[in-house]
Amino acid sequence: PGINLIAAEQQFLNDQSAYIDGKCGKNVTTCQPVAIASYERIIDPATGPSEVARFVSVIEGKPGINLIANEARECVWTELVINEKGNANTIPDRDQEGPPEDAFGFTLEQMYIIQNEIMRLREKYSDPPWSNNTMAQDFVGYLDSYLLENDNEIAAMS
């Protein structure tokens, strides 16, 4: 079963066809995100609470969505992320099972492929019509941090 799952994941990752969110229907030109978040920024003590607040502000007040009080959110974030409390640890291994994080890795060739795709996306969302879109520019900021992190990883591999 494990080998079949890995093969299925590899097939999924190699599929380069476009994915269209069902909520956008067939008109993908007008379908745009209302919020994005970065896991790395959510778990970073310097940016976590503000990243969560920015993301939560989009769903706050929506019918059927109940949120904890605003004044309790930073405390809950601290308990989950910093103190690692809750049903599952947030970092470093959410379910405490499986191999350690450093057992996973990419080859140098895969890192170059990843970097090329990140650079392609950065270029796309830096230019019109996206250059004046706040969400797109937030995304470009995330991409910049991934490029830097990956450059450091590639340098260590070379």
Side-chain angles (χ1 to χ4, degrees), residues 17-69:
S17 63
Y19 170 76
I20 298 175
D21 187 322
K23 293 178 180 155
C24 290
K26 301 217 183 292
N27 188 0
V28 295
T29 58
T30 59
C31 183
Q32 297 182 15
V34 294
I36 61 171
S38 159
Y39 174 77
E40 293 82 2
R41 290 189 187 182
I42 287 172
I43 64 168
D44 184 331
T47 57
S50 62
E51 186 82 354
V52 171
R54 194 170 54 85
F55 192 72
V56 167
S57 70
V58 175
I59 60 173
E60 193 164 31
K62 300 284 187 208
I65 298 178
N66 299 315
L67 299 172
I68 61 171

